[in-house]
C-alpha cells in the first residue's frame, strides 16, 4: 500500500478531517480525476458512522470530473449497494431518462449522493450519518466545481442550503452554493409514486438548461 492510501485509511478510520489527503489533493493541482480518486480511497476506508458495517459496496459517485452539471441524491439503495454505482435501480432509470431528455449522456454529468453507504432497509439518512459523510460530498463539489447542481429531494437540498426547507417550497427556485447555482427538484423515487409531478421536474430541468445556455428539446 502506498503512503497516501495508508494515510487515507488512518484518517478514514478515525473519521477525522482528511488534512493529509486534502494536502495531497492540492499538490495534484488541476487533475480533478486524480483528486476524486484520492478522495474515494479515503471514503473506502471511512468508519465515521456505522453504515460501513452493513453496506456491500461504497457508492462514491460517478461521471465527468469536468461536468457543468452535477446531480445529488440521497443515499444508495439496494441496486446501487450491489453495483457500487449511483442511481442504477428503478429511480435511477428515471434519472437517466431525464438526463437523456436534457441532451446529456450520464458520462457528461456527475452523479453523487449525500451518503456514500446504503442505510439498511432504505431508511432515511440519520442526521449523524449526514454529518459524518458530508465532507466527502462537499469536497466532490469543490473538486468538480460544476456550474449547476441539481439536488434531488430534501436531504441534498437541505444539506446545501443549510436549513430546513421542504422540497415542495424549494423547487421552482434557484439558490446559490459558493457561487454555484443550485436547482432543487423532486427525487426520482418520489416521481415513481407521483408520476403527475414529472411535469414539474421537467420545468426544473429547463431552468437548468437555460442557465447552461443549452438548447431545450420538448
Ligand atoms: N436513490 C438515491 O438517492 N440515490 C441513489 O443512488 C439511488 C436511489
Amino acid at each position: 500500500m502506498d503512503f497516501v492510501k495508508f494515510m487515507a485509511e488512518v484518517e478514514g478510520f478515525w473519521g477525522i478531517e482528511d488534512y493529509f489527503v486534502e494536502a495531497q489533493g492540492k499538490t495534484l493541482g488541476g487533475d480533478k480525476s486524480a483528486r476524486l480518486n484520492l478522495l474515494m480511497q479515503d471514503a473506502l476506508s471511512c468508519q465515521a458512522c456505522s453504515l460501513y458495517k452493513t453496506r456491500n459496496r461504497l457508492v462514491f459517485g460517478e461521471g465527468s470530473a469536468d461536468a457543468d452539471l452535477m446531480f445529488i441524491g440521497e443515499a444508495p439503495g439496494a441496486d446501487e449497494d450491489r453495483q457500487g454505482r449511483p442511481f442504477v435501480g428503478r429511480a435511477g432509470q428515471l434519472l437517466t431518462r431525464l438526463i437523456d431528455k436534457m441532451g446529456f449522456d450520464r458520462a457528461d454529468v456527475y452523479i453523487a449522493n449525500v451518503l456514500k453507504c446504503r442505510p439498511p432497509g432504505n431508511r432515511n439518512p440519520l442526521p449523524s450519518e449526514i454529518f459524518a459523510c458530508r465532507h466527502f460530498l462537499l469536497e466532490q463539489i469543490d473538486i468538480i466545481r460544476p456550474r449547476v447542481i441539481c439536488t434531488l429531494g430534501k436531504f441534498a437540498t437541505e444539506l446545501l442550503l443549510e436549513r430546513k426547507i421542504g422540497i415542495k417550497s424549494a423547487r421552482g427556485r434557484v439558490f446559490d452554493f459558493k457561487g454555484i447555482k443550485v436547482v432543487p427538484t423532486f427525487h426520482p423515487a418520489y416521481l415513481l409514486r407521483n408520476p403527475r409531478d414529472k411535469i414539474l421536474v421537467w420545468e426544473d430541468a429547463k431552468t437548468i438548461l437555460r442557465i447552461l445556455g443549452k438548447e431545450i428539446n420538448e
Side-chain angles (χ1 to χ4, degrees):
M1 184 190 310
D2 69 31
F3 188 59
V4 177
K5 229 166 155 184
F6 170 74
M7 287 306 285
E9 287 212 353
V10 171
E11 290 173 340
F13 178 79
W14 290 105
I16 52 175
E17 282 297 328
D18 41 341
Y19 294 116
F20 181 83
V21 172
E22 212 176 296
Q24 284 295 310
K26 293 216 170 89
T27 66
L28 288 169
D31 191 340
K32 294 178 170 196
S33 302
R35 290 174 65 193
L36 284 172
N37 233 325
L38 195 58
L39 186 62
M40 186 174 70
Q41 298 302 327
D42 200 12
L44 275 167
S45 52
C46 176
Q47 301 186 354
C49 78
S50 59
L51 294 181
Y52 77 95
K53 293 181 192 163
T54 46
R55 69 141 197 254
N56 284 302
R57 303 271 300 265
L58 178 87
V59 181
F60 180 70
E62 68 179 24
S64 167
D66 291 312
D68 282 335
L69 174 57
M70 180 167 179
F71 289 91
I72 304 175
E74 184 179 312
D79 295 301
E80 291 76 19
D81 178 65
R82 218 173 292 122
Q83 294 187 41
R85 297 181 57 207
F87 283 100
V88 291
R90 274 182 73 222
Q93 283 160 21
L94 207 53
L95 178 64
T96 305
R97 287 224 303 276
L98 177 70
I99 291 169
D100 191 51
K101 189 164 158 60
M102 291 172 79
F104 293 106
D105 273 344
R106 264 178 78 113
D108 297 332
V109 302
Y110 195 88
I111 307 174
N113 280 306
V114 169
L115 296 189
K116 310 304 185 210
C117 299
R118 181 189 184 212
N122 290 355
R123 63 159 169 76
N124 283 342
L126 300 174
S128 59
E129 292 161 353
I130 295 175
F131 184 77
C133 207
R134 68 199 284 276
H135 71 103
F136 289 118
L137 178 65
L138 298 182
E139 249 181 89
Q140 283 173 305
I141 295 171
D142 212 44
I143 292 169
I144 297 164
R145 293 288 311 168
R147 288 173 61 201
V148 183
I149 294 173
C150 179
T151 51
L152 304 166
K154 106 176 174 136
F155 288 96
T157 304
E158 291 183 351
L159 175 57
L160 292 197
L161 303 189
E162 290 185 310
R163 63 187 148 113
K164 290 265 161 226
I165 179 168
I167 190 63
K168 285 199 170 140
S169 45
R171 75 141 296 279
R173 297 158 65 185
V174 179
F175 298 86
D176 176 86
F177 177 78
K178 297 183 176 174
I180 300 169
K181 298 261 189 293
V182 176
V183 180
T185 197
F186 291 121
H187 192 284
Y190 165 88
L191 289 184
L192 289 173
R193 301 187 302 271
N194 301 275
R196 271 186 306 184
D197 282 343
K198 280 184 190 169
I199 184 131
L200 296 176
V201 172
W202 180 236
E203 287 306 314
D204 299 331
K206 285 195 286 189
T207 301
I208 293 170
L209 293 173
R210 267 183 231 110
I211 296 169
L212 295 175
K214 225 171 165 284
E215 197 184 332
I216 298 172
N217 291 313
E218 292 284 356

PDB file of all heavy atoms in Angstrom, residues 6 9 39 73 151 160 163 188 209:
ATOM      1  N   PHE A   6      -2.355   4.705   2.712  1.00  0.00           N
ATOM      2  CA  PHE A   6      -2.259   4.379   4.143  1.00  0.00           C
ATOM      3  C   PHE A   6      -2.828   5.523   4.990  1.00  0.00           C
ATOM      4  O   PHE A   6      -3.647   5.308   5.886  1.00  0.00           O
ATOM      5  CB  PHE A   6      -0.794   4.106   4.509  1.00  0.00           C
ATOM      6  CG  PHE A   6      -0.566   3.989   5.985  1.00  0.00           C
ATOM      7  CD1 PHE A   6      -0.986   2.854   6.680  1.00  0.00           C
ATOM      8  CD2 PHE A   6       0.037   5.020   6.693  1.00  0.00           C
ATOM      9  CE1 PHE A   6      -0.789   2.751   8.052  1.00  0.00           C
ATOM     10  CE2 PHE A   6       0.227   4.925   8.054  1.00  0.00           C
ATOM     11  CZ  PHE A   6      -0.175   3.792   8.737  1.00  0.00           C
ATOM     12  N   GLU A   9      -6.491   5.738   4.868  1.00  0.00           N
ATOM     13  CA  GLU A   9      -7.124   4.733   5.743  1.00  0.00           C
ATOM     14  C   GLU A   9      -7.104   5.171   7.196  1.00  0.00           C
ATOM     15  O   GLU A   9      -8.088   5.032   7.914  1.00  0.00           O
ATOM     16  CB  GLU A   9      -6.428   3.384   5.590  1.00  0.00           C
ATOM     17  CG  GLU A   9      -6.772   2.749   4.271  1.00  0.00           C
ATOM     18  CD  GLU A   9      -6.804   1.228   4.335  1.00  0.00           C
ATOM     19  OE1 GLU A   9      -6.435   0.652   5.360  1.00  0.00           O
ATOM     20  OE2 GLU A   9      -7.203   0.636   3.317  1.00  0.00           O
ATOM     21  N   LEU A  39      -9.860  10.976  -3.022  1.00  0.00           N
ATOM     22  CA  LEU A  39     -10.963  11.151  -2.067  1.00  0.00           C
ATOM     23  C   LEU A  39     -11.739   9.840  -1.913  1.00  0.00           C
ATOM     24  O   LEU A  39     -12.172   9.474  -0.818  1.00  0.00           O
ATOM     25  CB  LEU A  39     -11.873  12.277  -2.564  1.00  0.00           C
ATOM     26  CG  LEU A  39     -13.002  12.725  -1.646  1.00  0.00           C
ATOM     27  CD1 LEU A  39     -12.449  13.290  -0.336  1.00  0.00           C
ATOM     28  CD2 LEU A  39     -13.869  13.778  -2.344  1.00  0.00           C
ATOM     29  N   GLY A  73     -28.248  12.963  -5.073  1.00  0.00           N
ATOM     30  CA  GLY A  73     -29.380  12.239  -4.498  1.00  0.00           C
ATOM     31  C   GLY A  73     -29.213  12.073  -2.995  1.00  0.00           C
ATOM     32  O   GLY A  73     -28.462  12.819  -2.346  1.00  0.00           O
ATOM     33  N   THR A 151     -30.245  19.325  -6.937  1.00  0.00           N
ATOM     34  CA  THR A 151     -30.438  18.493  -5.745  1.00  0.00           C
ATOM     35  C   THR A 151     -31.742  17.733  -5.890  1.00  0.00           C
ATOM     36  O   THR A 151     -32.787  18.304  -6.208  1.00  0.00           O
ATOM     37  CB  THR A 151     -30.448  19.359  -4.467  1.00  0.00           C
ATOM     38  OG1 THR A 151     -31.368  20.434  -4.618  1.00  0.00           O
ATOM     39  CG2 THR A 151     -29.070  19.919  -4.169  1.00  0.00           C
ATOM     40  N   LEU A 160     -27.188  21.446   1.259  1.00  0.00           N
ATOM     41  CA  LEU A 160     -26.506  22.560   0.589  1.00  0.00           C
ATOM     42  C   LEU A 160     -27.044  23.916   1.033  1.00  0.00           C
ATOM     43  O   LEU A 160     -26.293  24.881   1.104  1.00  0.00           O
ATOM     44  CB  LEU A 160     -26.611  22.437  -0.933  1.00  0.00           C
ATOM     45  CG  LEU A 160     -25.845  21.270  -1.569  1.00  0.00           C
ATOM     46  CD1 LEU A 160     -25.685  21.482  -3.051  1.00  0.00           C
ATOM     47  CD2 LEU A 160     -24.474  21.077  -0.941  1.00  0.00           C
ATOM     48  N   ARG A 163     -30.381  24.662   5.767  1.00  0.00           N
ATOM     49  CA  ARG A 163     -31.583  24.958   6.552  1.00  0.00           C
ATOM     50  C   ARG A 163     -32.678  23.970   6.200  1.00  0.00           C
ATOM     51  O   ARG A 163     -32.632  23.324   5.154  1.00  0.00           O
ATOM     52  CB  ARG A 163     -32.062  26.385   6.314  1.00  0.00           C
ATOM     53  CG  ARG A 163     -32.487  26.681   4.895  1.00  0.00           C
ATOM     54  CD  ARG A 163     -32.758  28.177   4.784  1.00  0.00           C
ATOM     55  NE  ARG A 163     -32.456  28.667   3.470  1.00  0.00           N
ATOM     56  CZ  ARG A 163     -33.380  29.121   2.627  1.00  0.00           C
ATOM     57  NH1 ARG A 163     -34.635  29.127   2.967  1.00  0.00           N
ATOM     58  NH2 ARG A 163     -33.038  29.569   1.440  1.00  0.00           N
ATOM     59  N   PRO A 188     -36.304  11.245  -7.901  1.00  0.00           N
ATOM     60  CA  PRO A 188     -36.952  10.312  -8.837  1.00  0.00           C
ATOM     61  C   PRO A 188     -37.790   9.236  -8.144  1.00  0.00           C
ATOM     62  O   PRO A 188     -38.791   8.777  -8.713  1.00  0.00           O
ATOM     63  CB  PRO A 188     -35.792   9.682  -9.611  1.00  0.00           C
ATOM     64  CG  PRO A 188     -34.606  10.509  -9.326  1.00  0.00           C
ATOM     65  CD  PRO A 188     -34.864  11.372  -8.135  1.00  0.00           C
ATOM     66  N   LEU A 209     -31.196  23.998 -18.074  1.00  0.00           N
ATOM     67  CA  LEU A 209     -30.716  24.131 -19.457  1.00  0.00           C
ATOM     68  C   LEU A 209     -30.563  25.602 -19.835  1.00  0.00           C
ATOM     69  O   LEU A 209     -29.615  25.979 -20.534  1.00  0.00           O
ATOM     70  CB  LEU A 209     -31.656  23.405 -20.428  1.00  0.00           C
ATOM     71  CG  LEU A 209     -31.677  21.880 -20.269  1.00  0.00           C
ATOM     72  CD1 LEU A 209     -32.748  21.241 -21.140  1.00  0.00           C
ATOM     73  CD2 LEU A 209     -30.300  21.288 -20.596  1.00  0.00           C
TER      74      LEU A 209
END
